[in-house]
Amino acid sequence: MVEIKTNESLELMRAAGRVVAQALEAARKAAAPGVTPRALDTAAREVLSAAGAESPFLGYRPQWAPVPFPATVCVSVNDAIVHGIPGDEPLRDGDLVSIDCGAVLKGWVGDAAVSFTVGRARPQDTRLIETAEAALAAGIAAAAVGNRIGDIAHAVGRVCRGAGYGIPDGFGGHGVGRTMHEDPGVPNEGRPGRGMVLRHGMVLAIEPMLIAGGGDDHYTGRDGWTVRTLDASRAAHTEHTVAITDDGPRILTSL
């Protein structure tokens, strides 16, 4: 079931989304060679706490997960695509880091992700990240009243495939509202003109995930959470929570 949000609800979601953006910014600023992913989690958690928000990730346990997620944010490094558990292995110069963050504020959720390089960036990583950002921008542009879910999926997939990157099967965006994962699902590849019609008041998390090696295969690591590329190539993940409005798509998770 897809919940259509009121304009008042969208304003509350915008407040939650702003906290997410601030937490991501704090975590990104904390990232440097020698800093641990756990320290990035701490930086994000402090922002959420100061805003009176909670993390929808901490303690989250879907049916497939062997244990609840133990952190405030996901920190996925290099070949990790999504769901990385922030640990104590220090980041190194040139690491590609993806951080996924959510916030629950006054009963409403925001969800976003960003990818970046720690220290000196490899040109191939810069291209991967820039393509992920371009795919996200294309998906957001397609999130217009009267379009369909397939139009978003097609826009994202066309950018990813056009650059020669893989798209992990079974992962994509989703509805957002009072919970982190709501209907409808938003694939990262699909046919235009298919799927649910977009209406004013729908809110979607659009989140491209790209695999540098060009293949789509992946596996889940021993921790039961971290999803990694099968070919060990690097991955990038970008995401925004976006409201569908009569005035065009509205990004709720920006600063």
Side-chain angles (χ1 to χ4, degrees), residues 20-21 25 31 39 41 55-56 97 101 112 126 142 144 163 165 171 176 192 196 205 211 228 230 237:
V20 172
E25 182 71 9
D41 184 79
S55 169
V97 178
C101 179
T126 298
Y165 296 126
F171 291 89
V176 185
M196 182 176 294
I211 298 175
R228 298 186 179 275
L230 189 63
H237 174 206

Side-chain angles (χ1 to χ4, degrees), residues 130-141:
E130 288 177 347
T131 304
E133 292 171 347
L136 176 58
I140 293 170

Side-chain angles (χ1 to χ4, degrees), residues 23-42:
L24 284 173
E25 182 71 9
R28 182 170 185 165
K29 285 183 176 179
V35 175
T36 67
R38 193 182 301 275
L40 309 189
D41 184 79
T42 298

Side-chain angles (χ1 to χ4, degrees), residues 214-237:
D216 300 349
D217 294 332
H218 53 82
Y219 69 97
T220 302
R222 292 182 180 179
D223 61 17
W225 275 97
T226 306
V227 179
R228 298 186 179 275
T229 63
L230 189 63
D231 62 5
S233 67
R234 294 189 171 193
H237 174 206

Side-chain angles (χ1 to χ4, degrees), residues 46-131:
E46 289 174 349
V47 171
L48 265 63
S49 179
E54 298 179 348
S55 169
F57 294 5
L58 183 61
Y60 179 60
R61 188 180 184 182
Q63 291 183 345
W64 50 263
V67 295
F69 193 77
T72 299
V73 298
C74 301
V75 182
S76 304
V77 181
N78 294 333
D79 67 322
I81 307 169
V82 287
H83 301 165
I85 296 175
D88 294 317
E89 182 175 345
L91 297 170
R92 297 171 296 178
D93 186 58
D95 277 347
L96 196 167
V97 178
S98 299
I99 303 178
D100 192 355
C101 179
V104 184
L105 184 66
K106 296 182 179 179
W108 294 97
V109 177
D111 186 11
V114 63
S115 290
F116 57 90
T117 300
V118 174
R120 291 170 293 182
R122 306 189 310 178
Q124 56 267 44
D125 289 343
T126 298
R127 179 175 179 267
L128 177 67
I129 293 168
E130 288 177 347
T131 304

Side-chain angles (χ1 to χ4, degrees), residues 203-255:
V203 180
L204 307 174
I206 301 172
E207 50 179 321
M209 303 168 198
L210 284 64
I211 298 175
D216 300 349
D217 294 332
H218 53 82
Y219 69 97
T220 302
R222 292 182 180 179
D223 61 17
W225 275 97
T226 306
V227 179
R228 298 186 179 275
T229 63
L230 189 63
D231 62 5
S233 67
R234 294 189 171 193
H237 174 206
T238 57
E239 177 184 17
H240 269 306
T241 297
V242 180
I244 314 300
T245 80
D246 290 330
D247 296 323
R250 181 186 180 191
I251 298 173
L252 302 180
T253 44
S254 58
L255 288 172

